[in-house]
Structures are given as C-alpha cells and as structure tokens.
Amino acid sequence: FFFLFPLLLQDINLLLSMAARATSRMIQARPAAVFHRRRGFVPCLVEAPQLTLSRDAPQWEMPHNVWSPDSLNGVRVTAMQPHTLADRMAYVATRAIQEVLDLASGFKFHRERAWLKRLQLLEMAATAPFTFSRMALERSPMASQTRLDRSWLQALSQQSKQAVTHLSMVAAARGTVSNTPSKWNGMAYAFGMGYLLWPRFGKWCVDHSQEALIRVYAELLEEMDAGQLPELRSMPAPELAIQHYGLSARASLRDVIEKIHLDDRLLR
C-alpha cells in the first residue's frame, strides 16, 4: 500500500488537471456557461461580458473612468459616525468652527447672497492643515511627532495645491482676491498645536473638515437644482475654472461647483 499510494496521488492529480482543462475549454468555447450550486443544484447562468465601446474609442485613452452624469449625481456619500474620544472631540470642534464661520459670513441671515462668502471662508479654514504641513516640512522638525508622521504631512502638502485652486475659483466667482491673509495663518498654528498635543485629534480634524466641505457643496448643488438659488445658478463660470477644468465658454457657476464637489469626493 505504501508503494502504491504515491502512484494513486499522481493519477488523481492527472485526472483533476484534465477535468480543469476540459472545463476551461468549455467555458471559453461557449459565450455562457451553466454552473450548479451544491445544494439543490439550482442553475445559475453566467453571461459573458459585452463591451459597449469599441476598442479604438477615445474614452479608453483617458486617465480615468468615464461615468454618466446620472451615475455621478446618484451617488450619496455618507459620513461615518464618530466613535472614539478623539473622533468625537474633532467632530465637535469642526462643527463649532463651521457655525462660527456661518455667522461671520452672514449665511444665517442672507442665505442666497452669502453662499459664496461662506464657501470662501470654509475653504480658507480647510487650508489650515495644508499650511501647517508645508511649514513642518520646510523647517527642521523640532518635535518627534512630525518625524513619525512625515509621510502623512507629505500627503497633506501634495493636496494643498488643489485646495488653493478651489479657494481661488470661489474667490474669483465672488470677485475678490484669493490670497490668504496673515490672520488666517493663526488657524494653521492652532491646528499645529492641537496636532502636536493630540495627534489623533489633529488627524480626525482633517477628515471631518473635508467631509464638511463635501456636505456643504452637496447642499449647494441640491438648492441650485431645486431652483432656490436662481442668481447663483445663472452666474457665468470664472475664467480660472474654465481653464483648469477645460469647460466651455458657456459654462455656469453650477458646473464649477459640481467639478469642485467631485474633486473633494475623490480626495476622500
């Protein structure tokens, strides 16, 4: 038996390989194959995938997937509820900052006229972590935490260009200057102090501030589509946004807001 056992194993392996080859040939020869479940032997038809675009279509040369507007607008991003102590504290802090900025922009009193100012203030507040990351990387790291999280700071600094571009677009739509004043650098220093004292709190603040921007832009798009903001919807797109996104000359502010909203969603 001990001499015949290796020969039996070789025969079993040979039979299994022949069966696998026959099954693969059957599946490749037929456009659809019928597979059976173990329990009940219920047939499950698996259709072969069909290409809707030709192989020489220009969409295949683009660096990203091509989605229809219905597919993009139909996605609803849900935020994860805070669980840990640092997560809850960061959520409360970002909500408090957003409420203060809503009062400062006049959004609580004149909703339609203060929408762009509200977006500009929120975008300027969201650039605080990016400003701190650039300062921490340019200067010699004095704290041990900045050396441990150097890769995270580098990722934030790479995202700063996109955040500054969004801020410039919103400022151009308002007709104001997009340069961040020196008083806003105080928020970067405040974020840096909070991050150095409690690193998890600082990282959660970045996540919640980005989610707050996504919610704000989604709220603005819903109000535009509902017809509540006719003046903002009919405003022309700024030249900076037309050049950056490659929009047509007839593009409106609603198209720019949608592009910014998609950028923020992809960043999350």
Side-chain angles (χ1 to χ4, degrees):
F1 176 78
F2 292 103
F3 293 103
L4 295 177
F5 185 71
L7 298 177
L8 292 175
L9 288 180
Q10 292 179 0
D11 295 338
I12 293 174
N13 292 332
L14 181 60
L15 292 175
L16 290 177
S17 62
M18 293 174 62
R21 291 177 183 176
T23 305
S24 63
R25 290 176 182 175
M26 181 185 66
I27 294 176
Q28 292 176 0
R30 300 176 58 185
V34 177
F35 296 90
H36 300 276
R37 300 178 183 177
R38 290 184 177 181
R39 295 183 180 180
F41 295 97
V42 179
C44 180
L45 186 64
V46 180
E47 296 289 344
Q50 298 180 358
L51 298 178
T52 57
L53 296 176
S54 60
R55 294 188 179 275
D56 56 348
Q59 284 82 356
W60 296 107
E61 299 179 0
M62 302 184 69
H64 54 76
N65 297 331
V66 180
W67 303 98
S68 62
D70 296 336
S71 300
L72 291 175
N73 298 327
V75 176
R76 293 293 179 267
V77 180
T78 58
M80 184 179 63
Q81 297 297 328
H83 296 285
T84 62
L85 179 59
D87 192 2
R88 294 191 185 97
M89 295 297 293
Y91 177 78
V92 172
T94 52
R95 290 292 298 177
I97 294 174
Q98 183 178 354
E99 292 294 331
V100 172
L101 295 179
D102 288 345
L103 290 175
S105 62
F107 182 75
K108 297 290 187 180
F109 311 104
H110 306 285
R111 191 176 184 88
E112 183 174 2
R113 289 185 294 177
W115 251 114
L116 292 180
K117 187 176 181 181
R118 181 196 188 195
L119 289 180
Q120 186 176 4
L121 292 180
L122 290 175
E123 287 284 357
M124 293 175 71
T127 57
F130 307 129
T131 305
F132 169 75
S133 64
R134 290 199 308 269
M135 292 187 299
L137 292 174
E138 290 174 358
R139 303 174 184 178
S140 58
M142 301 300 296
S144 60
Q145 189 63 39
T146 58
R147 291 194 295 269
L148 294 176
D149 295 336
R150 189 172 182 82
S151 58
W152 180 71
L153 294 174
Q154 289 176 351
L156 285 182
S157 64
Q158 293 175 359
Q159 301 170 9
S160 61
K161 184 177 180 180
Q162 178 176 321
V164 173
T165 304
H166 292 172
L167 176 59
S168 302
M169 292 179 188
V170 176
R174 284 195 64 207
T176 58
V177 181
S178 61
N179 293 333
T180 305
S182 58
K183 62 181 180 181
W184 285 96
N185 291 335
M187 296 192 66
Y189 289 109
F191 168 78
M193 291 297 296
Y195 162 73
L196 293 176
L197 294 176
W198 199 358
R200 293 183 179 179
F201 170 77
K203 293 180 179 179
W204 278 116
C205 283
V206 176
D207 293 339
H208 286 299
S209 63
Q210 293 176 353
E211 288 185 357
L213 282 177
I214 294 176
R215 290 195 301 266
V216 168
Y217 280 109
E219 181 183 358
L220 177 56
L221 289 174
E222 291 177 358
E223 292 186 4
M224 283 184 172
D225 295 338
Q228 302 178 7
L229 306 172
E231 295 182 3
L232 290 180
R233 185 180 178 87
S234 60
M235 286 181 60
E239 188 64 24
L240 176 62
I242 293 176
Q243 296 177 0
H244 181 74
Y245 291 116
L247 302 175
S248 62
R250 300 179 181 178
S252 62
L253 182 61
R254 199 264 179 202
D255 300 329
V256 179
I257 297 299
E258 183 180 7
K259 294 294 185 182
I260 297 177
H261 181 50
L262 291 177
D263 287 344
D264 292 338
R265 286 164 57 180
L266 290 175
L267 183 62
R268 291 293 296 144

